[in-house]
Each structure stands twice: as structure tokens, then as C-alpha cells.
Amino acid sequence: MNSIIIVAGGKGLRMGSDIPKQFLVLKSEPVIMHTIKAFYNWDKDCEIILVLPSSQQSYWQLLVNQYDFDIPVKITTGGKTRFESVKNGLQKSSGDIIGIHDGVRPLVSEKTIKKCYEVSKSHGNAIPCVPIVDSLRVVTNGKNQMTDRSKYFRIQTPQVFKRAIILKGFEQNFSEEFTDDASVVEKTGETIQLVEGNEENIKITKPFDLKIAEVYLEDVQS
């Protein structure tokens, strides 16, 4: 069985609504429902675990009723950090291959999901990335100089792992070094596998991101 842990935080858009980002309406449905559908449409037997702050769980149920949302989802409570939230999600999971995804990345493609799970099954883990297209400069001691952008990638989710590998990673104590799930696993000595992501798999954190997501969805649905 495949599992996906979808982690949703508690804050609204920067400089925008106070409504948590995952509950904002995107093309007639809350963002989080688009995210869940992406994984359900890829694998209808996928175990979907939604990690939400306890204060948002009753509102989620209201939305489920309002939108007649009938995709099976397990709910668990988020922690003070992403690390704790993912750990709580892992305790609810039963899949052999487990992915972890940001609740506010509703535009992940089926191709990206499929590739991450396939590579994880054969190589232990996989995380999607896209190349940097802008020029980069690095600042050191107040001075800046150009750097080779071909060495850098933007990392996305889902970050996918074999069960034993991700559980071992989260047996560690929390560290500020853990910026994502791959960094947790890497700390155990695992080599992280990069796979091609999809450019439109953006993380919605600003009002502008929501507008971009609407444009992408219009293209998909047209």
C-alpha cells in the first residue's frame, strides 16, 4: 500500500486573508481538497492522512459536508513543528511507501507523484526538484559574486520514502537542521535521490501564488 501524509499548517496568506491557506477557495473548492484529489486520482487505494491543527479539525468537517467531499481521509493532529506533525502522521500510516506533501501544493502532477513513488520503491527515497533558471549571486562578508546555478535546484514535495527509512529518520530528536523530510532522512546516512518535478507544483504562501494557481487550473480544465 502507498500512503501520503498531507501536512497543513495554521497560518493565512502572507499579507492576505486570515483564513488558513489550505482552506482558501481555489476554483470552487478549498486548496486542500485539490491537493487530496491529486493523490486520490493517482491511486484510489492510497492511504491519505491529513495532519491538521486541532483547532481546525471541526472546520474541516464543516467543509467536508459543505462540498460533499467523499474521499476517505484519516485525520491526525499537527504538532508545534513540521517535524512533530510529520511524526504524528507517520504513527497513523500503514503504507510500505510513504510520501509527505505540503497541503498547499495543490498542483502536483500525476507524473511527479508516480515518479517519486516508483523511484522510492527501487532506491529507497525520492524527492522532486526543478532547476534554477534565474542567475544566482552569493553574498559573503558583504561582498557578492556570481555562482553556478546548475549546481542548485528548488525542492518540492511529495518527498517519498520506504517505510523503514522514514521511520528511522523520525526516531531522531528534532534539530534546526531539519528543513524538510529529506534532511531528516539524510541525517541517518541515506543518499537522497532527486527526480524531476513539475514547474506548476508551487507552494501557495502569498496572494499572488493563489492567482497563479487559478491560471494553471484554468489551463488544465480547458
Side-chain angles (χ1 to χ4, degrees):
M1 176 192 288
N2 296 315
S3 295
I4 184 67
I5 298 168
I6 298 176
V7 182
K11 297 180 180 179
L13 287 185
R14 297 175 192 166
M15 302 180 294
S17 171
D18 290 333
I19 298 173
K21 298 182 287 289
Q22 63 268 14
F23 296 145
L24 291 171
V25 174
L26 171 63
K27 295 293 288 184
S28 78
E29 278 188 328
V31 168
I32 192 66
M33 291 183 179
H34 288 283
T35 304
I36 291 169
K37 282 183 175 180
F39 289 90
Y40 182 74
N41 290 339
W42 164 68
D43 177 8
K44 289 181 170 49
D45 293 322
C46 184
E47 176 186 55
I48 302 173
I49 300 155
L50 177 59
V51 183
L52 280 174
S54 57
S55 61
Q56 295 178 11
Q57 292 177 16
S58 59
Y59 185 60
W60 163 251
Q61 192 55 54
L62 288 173
L63 292 175
V64 167
N65 296 334
Q66 178 182 343
Y67 289 90
D68 295 322
F69 192 73
D70 59 0
I71 295 176
V73 174
K74 294 181 179 180
I75 303 294
T76 193
T77 302
K80 293 181 180 179
T81 64
R82 180 186 174 86
F83 183 87
E84 290 179 35
S85 294
V86 172
K87 197 168 186 175
N88 291 349
L90 288 170
Q91 291 171 355
K92 279 267 189 177
S93 71
S94 56
D96 300 316
I97 307 293
I98 302 173
I100 303 158
H101 190 66
D102 297 320
V104 289
R105 288 187 188 269
L107 301 176
V108 60
S109 70
E110 184 172 329
K111 180 180 178 181
T112 294
I113 297 170
K114 182 179 179 182
K115 186 68 173 177
C116 286
Y117 276 82
E118 286 178 346
V119 172
S120 182
K121 187 174 182 179
S122 59
H123 290 79
N125 68 76
I127 65 173
C129 67
V130 291
I132 300 290
V133 295
D134 297 314
S135 295
L136 294 179
R137 300 189 72 83
V138 61
V139 178
T140 306
N141 297 326
K143 295 182 179 180
N144 69 85
Q145 60 183 21
M146 65 166 290
T147 189
D148 184 0
R149 68 184 177 195
S150 68
K151 296 179 180 179
Y152 298 90
F153 295 86
R154 289 190 287 117
I155 301 303
Q156 302 178 332
T157 64
Q159 300 189 358
V160 184
F161 310 86
K162 283 186 175 178
R163 182 177 188 83
I165 289 174
I166 190 65
L167 290 182
K168 180 181 178 182
F170 278 84
E171 288 173 356
Q172 303 172 98
N173 293 325
F174 172 73
S175 169
E176 294 291 344
E177 298 176 43
F178 298 155
T179 58
D180 62 1
D181 313 297
S183 60
V184 176
V185 168
E186 191 171 39
K187 192 71 173 177
T188 68
E190 291 286 334
T191 299
I192 300 302
Q193 308 295 321
L194 297 179
V195 301
E196 183 181 358
N198 59 294
E199 191 68 42
E200 63 271 26
N201 183 18
I202 61 173
K203 186 175 183 179
I204 296 176
T205 60
K206 304 182 294 295
F208 180 72
D209 299 329
L210 195 64
K211 293 179 180 179
I212 293 297
E214 288 174 353
V215 172
Y216 277 130
L217 277 178
E218 284 175 2
D219 288 343
V220 170
Q221 294 171 358
S222 62

